[in-house]
Amino acid sequence: MSDPYAHGHHESVLRSHEWRTIANSAAHLEPLLRPGLSVLDVGAGPGTITVELAERVAPGEVVGVDASAEVVAKAAALAAARGVTNLSFRVGDAYRLDAPENAFDVVHVHQVLHHLSRPIDALREFRRVVRPDGVVSVREVDYEGTFWYPHSAGLDEWLDVYCRMHRGLGGEPASGRRLKAWARAAGFADITATASQWLFTTPEDRAWWGGMWADRALQSAFAEHALTQGVTDQDGLQRISDAWREWAADEDGWLVMPHAEVLARS
Ligand SMILES: C[S@@+](CC[C@H](N)C(=O)[O-])C[C@H]1O[C@@H](n2cnc3c(N)ncnc32)[C@H](O)[C@@H]1O
């Protein structure tokens, strides 16, 4: 991997990534999907969105690429279990895709650019491999714009620690608000910019999202990077974990993560 990956692939991280679908993470692209399109999914992770993309565009061919061999194997196993045959996964790098120019109708990217130190270079690479009449679809979170209720000093601490740790690795936690500018800088002429959010407030969603972050705060690469960088200490991680459990248990609990999208054409 060319840049360090802030989250890693601990089970608590994959718990979040495996929840993702076209409906909750790629609705902006959905109206453009039709049978026969070829699709490249860059930074496909465990592949839950990729598998759905393959189902929508069959018999079009879909390729999922990720820098982590471990997560590529997981995604391939998911495709096999779902019986999806127009889909393959391989290890690859967003900056140097193993594909010729004009190879795909759609390049799909979900929550990857915020981990890259050179997001504009990656967008230029996506532009190289998409057909002249194709579309590059990118959706990026804006961590710094996350807001919640009720007030929680522990969640304030989480956001501060997360953003400092992520920037320490060369990523940009407030990518969403920059995405349109990055697409313009990469040379796309026709850009449709939209926004959407993830909302967690039902008891089930709070238990799942809050429980996941309570675990991630103590066990995932987030914890390791934050400790290594000296952004917080073990007591700080424990406060963050406890704050997530408290928020999840509160019936008034409500949290929104804003996301930006672009549909970019040459
Ligand atoms: C937040 S996950 C998103 C996964 C998937 N797109 C989803 O939304 O479920 C980011 C993924 O990007 C991958 N990644 C990070 N840097 C990459 C790079 N330079 N090239 C390809 N993949 C990369 C990570 O391994 C990780 O699986």
Side-chain angles (χ1 to χ4, degrees):
M1 202 176 299
S2 11
D3 293 312
Y5 178 45
H7 296 312
H9 295 96
H10 184 265
E11 178 278 325
S12 56
V13 176
L14 293 180
R15 218 184 297 163
S16 151
H17 296 175
E18 287 169 350
W19 158 83
R20 299 176 187 179
T21 61
I22 289 179
N24 65 34
S25 300
H28 61 291
L29 174 63
E30 194 169 16
L32 301 185
L33 297 174
R34 52 181 171 74
L37 292 178
S38 58
V39 181
L40 174 68
D41 191 8
V42 183
T48 54
I49 302 173
T50 331
V51 164
E52 290 196 353
L53 292 172
E55 289 168 346
R56 297 294 175 93
V57 302
E61 285 296 321
V62 177
V63 177
V65 165
D66 199 283
S68 157
E70 181 193 342
V71 87
V72 163
K74 249 184 155 338
L78 174 70
R82 293 265 284 261
V84 181
T85 54
N86 59 324
L87 169 60
S88 59
F89 287 97
R90 47 176 114 114
V91 175
D93 185 354
Y95 292 119
R96 286 180 302 275
L97 294 166
D98 182 16
E101 289 181 11
N102 309 332
F104 296 95
D105 295 308
V106 177
V107 176
H108 172 259
V109 187
H110 185 252
Q111 284 205 6
V112 179
L113 293 186
H114 66 296
H115 294 296
L116 304 187
S117 59
R118 294 182 288 117
I120 297 167
D121 285 350
L123 281 159
R124 286 198 186 104
E125 179 67 349
F126 307 156
R127 189 162 167 251
R128 183 184 71 77
V129 301
V130 78
R131 290 198 220 290
D133 59 347
V135 66
V136 173
S137 170
V138 187
R139 185 170 189 260
E140 286 299 320
V141 65
D142 198 300
Y143 262 94
E144 213 161 48
T146 303
F147 53 107
W148 57 82
Y149 189 83
H151 173 70
S152 160
L155 293 194
D156 288 348
E157 189 172 355
W158 162 73
L159 190 55
D160 176 60
V161 168
Y162 180 83
C163 289
R164 286 193 289 137
M165 176 279 292
H166 197 160
R167 289 195 170 108
L169 293 178
E172 176 47 69
S175 283
R177 69 193 72 182
R178 292 169 167 81
L179 181 57
K180 179 185 167 191
W182 288 346
R184 279 170 43 77
F188 289 99
D190 176 359
I191 299 166
T192 304
T194 53
S196 59
Q197 78 286 324
W198 287 344
L199 166 67
F200 304 109
T201 191
T202 66
E204 297 75 26
D205 285 350
R206 292 196 320 273
W208 171 72
W209 183 261
M212 174 193 69
W213 264 107
D215 291 346
R216 279 169 80 162
L218 297 176
Q219 298 170 49
S220 72
F222 162 81
E224 288 163 29
H225 290 308
L227 292 176
T228 308
Q229 292 180 23
V231 174
T232 189
D233 56 17
Q234 199 60 47
D235 289 347
L237 292 177
Q238 190 62 56
R239 278 194 301 276
I240 290 170
S241 179
D242 292 347
W244 276 113
R245 292 211 189 280
E246 227 171 87
W247 172 84
D250 190 331
E251 285 192 31
D252 294 331
W254 185 98
L255 181 139
V256 157
M257 289 196 92
H259 287 71
E261 300 117 6
V262 293
L263 292 173
R265 297 173 174 88
S266 293

